[in-house]
Each structure stands twice: as structure tokens, then as C-alpha cells.
Amino acid sequence: MPVMVPSDAASSPTTFIDVLFGWAVSFITMLSHLLNGYLTAFFVFTGIILNLLSVSIFLRKERAGTPAIQYYLVTLTLWQTALLANAFLLYSFPNLWWGHLVSQGTYVYLYPYVYTFANTTHTGSVWIVLTLTIDRYLALCQPLKHRAIGKKRRVRRLMVAVSIMAIVFSIPRFFEVHVVLLCERSEHNCVAAIDRTELFDNRLYWTIYHVILAMVFVTLLPCLILFALTLRISIALRSAIAKRKSLCAPNSDIDTRCKSMKSSRYNSSRKDHKSNIMLVLVIAKFLVSDILPTVIDVLEHLVGQSAFMRSPLASLFVDISNFLIVLNCSSNFWVFFVWGKRFRRSCRKCIKSTHIGACIYDMAQWNTDSEVSLCAPSSFTTVNVTKAYGSTERSFRYKRNMELIVSRTDDTSSTTNPSRT
């Protein structure tokens, strides 16, 4: 005899699980929209402005004769700026305009190009950071080899070659997706949609290109090399700091040895040390932001692409990894600004070279010097600016002596020639 189960008792566990699952899915959707939409847009626009400012400063320093390391930084900044622009077109703009990623409509005609160039910029950024890390490793651990290969002309050629290879390596991405027309009843009522091509579903192509080549050249192996070389560079910098401190021990002849340490050679080595720390921070920041995409890529190959794409949690991890890449590409300016004294000086000159920047800078200095006018020049502002940017007490003393000499000459001439009065 069948037993009738009450409907509330039978449906309550399923209802609670459905509600909990629906709440989790809605929370993940809201968080993904926040990451892909507003936060990505904010960091994209601020990052592009700051990256272009950084490139302008590096190019100005290039005319003054700076080290070859600037070619790495300029190339990396340009690749990362292009990556930010593609991230905005691929993720941020659809979320801000339609509220979600779109797969149909006129906008999808951009997807094959944006998808290809987004992978190109990421590959180029990885390879530029990898070459920069190898350069710093040779400079700190094998200086003789670095002196032979670290010349400006060779570095320029290397940057061009790496950029071309990144473009060539990413060309197959363009043939993985295409735009198709979905027609309901007649050919006049068709909608453009993005779809995968047969090349993407080819098992041999997927195994060779996405699994083997991508892990060897883009994700897993470069990440491991970056980690190992960064660790080796950090150890070399730590030993250099200990050696520098031992040269000026507290129990030694401080007056004689420390005075010799303040020579120009010591100051230049100290600047090189700070620049190396700045570059290591750039490399470490890139490594941290690239670890999660590498882990996600490995998990996608292990569990399968179809099962991975159906998981809402996996989609959230993909959005977080994309946001970390955007955050990394938009924050190099602050590393340069905090650790680069010459970069700060050039940045200040670049800002003050424009009228708006000069007004903003004078407004920032207005609280400390209340008599300084905001934008109009005056004698007090001229003296104050000269005093703030390197004029010594000797120059003012010389100016005062010249004024005394002129006044004495006038007194002498007035006494010898009474008719002048």
C-alpha cells in the first residue's frame, strides 16, 4: 500500500537548496558584473592615462641618455596599455552598456579582432617581463655576460623581435571564432552571433596549441621561470645590501670610511640598487597577477572545457583573474613613482610644463607659502621656486654681494660728480 508523503515535507529540502543555489548564483553574477563593469572601467581609464604619462617620461629621459632598461619598460607599458584597451572592449563596455556579456548583435563583429589582440597583448606582456627578468638576473648574477649583451641597440632589436613573435604566435586565435547569422524564418530577420569554428573544436589543434604550446610559452613554464629568477634576484639583492652595510661597520673608522662611501661611485651604486628593487617589484607584481590565470588554465585542461565553462564558480575565478591582470597593467606607474627618484623629478617637470599642471602644482604649494600667487608670475614666486629647486646659499650670497658692489659704485660716482644730483 503506497504511503502518501506530505507535499511540504517532500518539497522543503529541495526548495531550500534551490533558494540557496539561486542566491549564490545571483551573488556571483553581481560580483562578476561589478568586477567586469565598474572596477575594470575605472582601472582601465586611469591605467591608460598613467601609462601614457610613463611612456612620455621615459621617452624624455631617453633623449638625456639613460640606460637600456628603459626600452624594456616602454615596450612593456605599451603592451599593457593595449591590453587594458582590449579588456575594456571585451568585458567592461558590454557589462556597462547591456548589463552582461553579449553573444549576439552588431557588437559581436568586434569580437574576433578583440579576442585575438587581447591574447596577443597578454603574450607580449609575458615575454617582455620574462626578458626583463633574464636581463636583471644577468646584470646582478653574471655582470660580464650582461655587459656584452645589454647594449641599447641589441635591446631595441630584442624588443622588436619579441613583439613580432608575440603577434605571430597569437595569429591562430583569430581563426578560432567567427560571426554567424542566425535567421528565424526569413533571411530578412537575422541576428549576428559569435560562434566557435571547427578549428577550435579540433582535438589535435587544441592539444598542441592550447595545451602544449600555451603552457610552455605563455602560462606554466614562464611562470615557473619568473618565480625562480625572481627568487634568485632577491637573494642577490639581499647579499648586496649586507655587503654594503659591512663596508661601513659601526666599530670601524666611521669618519674616514663613510666619507669615502659618499663618493659618486657609491651614490650611483645606490641608485642602481633602488632601480633594481623597482624592477623586481614590477616583476613580482606581474607574477602574482599571472599565477591565478595559470592555475585556472591548468584546471580547465584537467577537468575539460565544457565542464569548466558550466560552473558559475569557475566563471567567477576567470573574472577575478582577468581583473588581477587589469590591476597589474594599470599600477606600474605607482611603482615607478615611489621607487624612482629620477622618475618623480621627470614627472614633476612634465606636469609643470603645462599650464593646468602648473596651476595645480602652485595650488598644492599655496598652503605652505601663502603669499605665492596661483598662476601669475611674481618676484616672490620666482625666488621661491628657485630656492626650492636647487639654488644654494652661495648663489644668493653672490647675488647680494653684486648688489652691494653696484650700490657702492653708484655712491662713488655720485660723490665724484655732484652735478648728477
Side-chain angles (χ1 to χ4, degrees):
M1 182 176 180
V3 179
M4 300 297 297
V5 180
S7 60
D8 295 337
S11 60
S12 58
T14 305
T15 304
F16 175 75
I17 293 174
D18 291 339
V19 170
L20 185 62
F21 181 76
W23 178 85
V25 171
S26 62
F27 176 76
I28 291 174
T29 304
M30 181 190 66
L31 187 58
S32 298
H33 177 69
L34 181 63
L35 290 175
N36 291 326
Y38 298 100
L39 291 178
T40 299
F42 173 76
F43 285 105
V44 161
F45 282 107
T46 57
I48 288 176
I49 294 172
L50 294 178
N51 286 348
L52 293 179
L53 179 61
S54 301
V55 171
S56 175
I57 292 173
F58 285 134
L59 292 180
R60 287 189 176 191
K61 290 170 61 177
E62 191 255 341
R63 290 194 295 266
T66 53
I69 199 68
Q70 68 180 359
Y71 295 111
Y72 292 101
L73 299 179
V74 169
T75 310
L76 176 63
T77 305
L78 291 177
W79 275 116
Q80 291 183 343
T81 305
L83 193 150
L84 290 175
N86 283 274
F88 177 76
L89 294 175
L90 197 59
Y91 301 108
S92 183
F93 181 76
N95 275 276
L96 294 177
W97 191 260
W98 292 285
H100 55 83
L101 296 178
V102 294
S103 59
Q104 295 181 357
T106 309
Y107 189 75
V108 299
Y109 282 102
L110 289 176
Y111 277 0
Y113 305 96
V114 177
Y115 169 74
T116 304
F117 202 56
N119 286 279
T120 304
T121 53
H122 181 252
T123 304
S125 301
V126 171
W127 289 358
I128 296 298
V129 172
L130 186 60
T131 54
L132 174 61
T133 308
I134 296 174
D135 180 89
R136 289 300 88 196
Y137 168 76
L138 294 177
L140 292 173
C141 302
Q142 299 182 9
L144 296 179
K145 290 184 179 180
H146 180 265
R147 188 176 300 175
I149 65 175
K151 297 180 180 180
K152 287 185 178 182
R153 184 178 300 176
R154 293 183 179 179
V155 173
R156 280 200 302 263
R157 293 176 180 175
L158 179 62
M159 292 297 98
V160 173
V162 169
S163 301
I164 293 175
M165 287 190 297
I167 295 174
V168 173
F169 184 82
S170 303
I171 286 177
R173 298 276 187 175
F174 182 78
F175 302 98
E176 292 180 358
V177 293
H178 65 152
V179 178
V180 296
L181 294 178
L182 300 179
C183 301
E184 295 181 355
R185 295 181 179 179
S186 61
E187 296 181 357
H188 300 286
N189 190 14
C190 298
V191 178
I194 193 72
D195 193 12
R196 298 172 181 174
T197 62
E198 296 179 356
L199 181 64
F200 191 88
D201 296 329
N202 191 307
R203 192 65 182 174
L204 180 62
Y205 168 78
W206 176 267
T207 303
I208 295 177
Y209 186 77
H210 281 268
V211 178
I212 300 176
L213 294 180
M215 284 189 175
V216 171
F217 293 104
V218 182
T219 57
L220 185 59
L221 185 59
C223 189
L224 295 177
I225 295 175
L226 284 174
F227 179 77
L229 292 181
T230 305
L231 183 62
R232 183 66 182 88
I233 292 171
S234 302
I235 295 174
L237 288 175
R238 189 179 182 87
S239 62
I241 293 174
K243 185 177 181 180
R244 185 176 290 109
K245 289 182 179 180
S246 66
L247 293 177
C248 189
N251 295 327
S252 62
D253 299 332
I254 298 178
D255 294 334
T256 58
R257 299 184 68 180
C258 289
K259 286 181 180 179
S260 62
M261 293 292 289
K262 292 180 181 179
S263 61
S264 59
R265 181 178 299 178
Y266 173 73
N267 292 329
S268 62
S269 63
R270 188 176 181 181
K271 291 179 181 179
D272 293 339
H273 178 70
K274 287 187 176 181
S275 64
N276 286 327
I277 293 178
M278 179 188 71
L279 296 174
V280 168
L281 288 177
V282 172
I283 296 169
K285 184 167 61 67
F286 181 87
L287 182 61
V288 171
S289 66
D290 209 54
I291 286 177
L292 186 58
T294 303
V295 173
I296 290 175
D297 188 70
V298 173
L299 289 177
E300 183 180 1
H301 296 323
L302 292 178
V303 302
Q305 184 184 8
S306 58
F308 185 84
M309 296 300 294
R310 286 195 302 265
S311 174
L313 191 60
S315 300
L316 178 62
F317 283 148
V318 171
D319 295 333
I320 293 175
S321 66
N322 292 332
F323 177 72
L324 288 177
I325 293 176
V326 170
L327 187 63
N328 168 65
C329 295
S330 61
S331 57
N332 282 339
F333 173 84
W334 302 110
V335 178
F336 301 151
F337 188 82
V338 171
W339 286 92
K341 185 177 180 180
R342 186 183 298 177
F343 184 86
R344 287 197 302 270
R345 190 184 302 116
S346 301
C347 183
R348 182 174 55 194
K349 291 180 180 179
C350 183
I351 293 175
K352 290 186 66 179
S353 62
T354 61
H355 181 71
I356 298 176
C359 293
I360 295 174
Y361 184 82
D362 289 337
M363 290 177 65
Q365 297 293 323
W366 184 70
N367 292 328
T368 57
D369 298 318
S370 58
E371 300 181 14
V372 179
S373 62
L374 293 181
C375 297
S378 63
S379 60
F380 183 78
T381 55
T382 305
V383 173
N384 192 28
V385 171
T386 306
K387 186 176 180 180
Y389 289 99
S391 295
T392 59
E393 185 180 357
R394 180 179 178 183
S395 61
F396 291 103
R397 199 179 305 152
Y398 175 77
K399 183 178 180 181
R400 180 61 180 168
N401 292 334
M402 292 298 296
E403 291 176 354
L404 291 175
I405 292 172
V406 172
S407 62
R408 289 176 183 175
T409 305
D410 293 339
D411 294 339
T412 304
S413 61
S414 62
T415 55
T416 56
N417 191 6
S419 62
R420 186 177 178 180
T421 59

